[in-house]
Amino acid sequence: MPPIPSPSPLDVVVHTDPAPWWQTLAPYAPLLAAIIAAWIAWQTLKERSRADNQAEWWRRAQWAIDSSLSSDPDQAEMGQKAIEVLGRSKLAAEEELELLKVATADPLEVFEAESALGGVDTGSRVVDGAAGRPDNDGEGEMTAQASRRVTTSMTEKAPVPKSDGAAPVRRRSSSSRDRRVQIAAAKARVTLDRRLRVDTPKWIIDLANEKAS
């Protein structure tokens, strides 16, 4: 008999389903875990840094407020200037800005009272030589404490004749050092009002634009 030829080899094709997505990403799992851990660490560091910066801002704000209340005009002026700088910081929320604004009120009330007693128009009603509440807002209402302080610290209000026969001049009720404190407080108030999106009375803006002598 003739030999029987051997059968030809058959190609067998096995169809399998594609691998699940998680098996495809499995080799990258360590890298993905490292990225997530780094992101969490960065967020934690960011929050901690912000908290530290806010704590430092508040420490400086306390110093500025305390300095602004000093009886030494130079120290008070420095405190008001520090308030202006701190008011520009993005770390200051609305509550902090309102607190800083309170620290500017005292010298501005004194200036308003002196201006009213001296016949200077600051936008407030002048009644019997005292400053009343402004017509447009309540920024300029003079407190009793400020009134007493002005009364005791006012210098001579009558015109002072000069020896050379020139026209008499009126003395300023504030010393130049006190006026510098008032100007610094006005500048700080303008900055704080801008951050708080409220209108600043015109007399405060004019005072802020005044050059300290």
Side-chain angles (χ1 to χ4, degrees), residues 169-183:
V169 295
R170 183 182 298 275
R171 291 183 182 176
R172 279 190 174 182
S173 57
S174 295
S175 68
S176 60
R177 297 171 71 193
D178 291 332
R179 181 53 59 87
R180 291 201 305 267
V181 176
Q182 294 167 353
I183 293 174

Side-chain angles (χ1 to χ4, degrees), residues 48-98:
R48 182 178 301 174
S49 176
R50 181 175 178 82
D52 292 343
N53 290 337
Q54 286 180 325
E56 180 64 18
W57 182 94
W58 178 242
R59 186 184 67 82
R60 295 176 181 177
Q62 287 179 310
W63 178 90
I65 294 172
D66 291 341
S67 296
S68 70
L69 300 175
S70 174
S71 58
D72 179 11
D74 293 333
Q75 184 74 11
E77 180 187 8
M78 187 174 297
Q80 294 293 345
K81 289 182 177 179
I83 288 175
E84 180 185 4
V85 174
L86 292 168
R88 300 195 195 106
S89 174
K90 295 181 179 180
L91 295 172
E94 183 175 347
E95 293 79 7
E96 284 82 5
L97 294 174
E98 290 287 359

Side-chain angles (χ1 to χ4, degrees), residues 1-7:
M1 295 181 60
I4 300 174
S6 60

Side-chain angles (χ1 to χ4, degrees), residues 100-123:
L100 292 178
K101 187 173 178 178
V102 171
T104 67
D106 190 68
L108 294 178
E109 288 174 349
V110 172
F111 172 80
E112 186 184 21
E114 291 173 344
S115 299
L117 291 171
V120 179
D121 181 16
T122 62

Side-chain angles (χ1 to χ4, degrees), residues 12-210:
V12 178
V13 178
V14 179
H15 297 279
T16 60
D17 294 331
W21 64 268
W22 56 267
Q23 289 184 353
T24 304
L25 296 179
Y28 303 99
L31 178 60
L32 183 60
I35 293 175
I36 294 175
W39 183 83
I40 294 175
W42 179 75
Q43 288 292 329
T44 302
L45 182 62
K46 182 180 178 180
E47 291 297 326
R48 182 178 301 174
S49 176
R50 181 175 178 82
D52 292 343
N53 290 337
Q54 286 180 325
E56 180 64 18
W57 182 94
W58 178 242
R59 186 184 67 82
R60 295 176 181 177
Q62 287 179 310
W63 178 90
I65 294 172
D66 291 341
S67 296
S68 70
L69 300 175
S70 174
S71 58
D72 179 11
D74 293 333
Q75 184 74 11
E77 180 187 8
M78 187 174 297
Q80 294 293 345
K81 289 182 177 179
I83 288 175
E84 180 185 4
V85 174
L86 292 168
R88 300 195 195 106
S89 174
K90 295 181 179 180
L91 295 172
E94 183 175 347
E95 293 79 7
E96 284 82 5
L97 294 174
E98 290 287 359
L99 181 61
L100 292 178
K101 187 173 178 178
V102 171
T104 67
D106 190 68
L108 294 178
E109 288 174 349
V110 172
F111 172 80
E112 186 184 21
E114 291 173 344
S115 299
L117 291 171
V120 179
D121 181 16
T122 62
S124 301
R125 297 194 301 271
V126 179
V127 181
D128 296 332
R133 183 182 297 273
D135 294 332
N136 297 328
D137 53 52
E139 286 289 340
E141 184 179 9
M142 186 184 70
T143 63
Q145 181 180 2
S147 178
R148 289 195 299 271
R149 184 166 54 257
V150 171
T151 302
T152 57
S153 65
M154 290 285 287
T155 59
E156 183 181 355
K157 301 298 294 181
V160 180
K162 298 181 68 174
S163 59
D164 57 1
V169 295
R170 183 182 298 275
R171 291 183 182 176
R172 279 190 174 182
S173 57
S174 295
S175 68
S176 60
R177 297 171 71 193
D178 291 332
R179 181 53 59 87
R180 291 201 305 267
V181 176
Q182 294 167 353
I183 293 174
K187 290 181 178 179
R189 175 66 67 86
V190 170
T191 297
L192 295 172
D193 284 348
R194 186 182 301 116
R195 288 289 310 279
L196 291 168
R197 295 181 176 85
V198 298
D199 294 332
T200 305
K202 185 178 182 302
W203 65 270
I204 296 181
I205 297 176
D206 293 340
L207 178 61
N209 292 329
E210 183 179 323

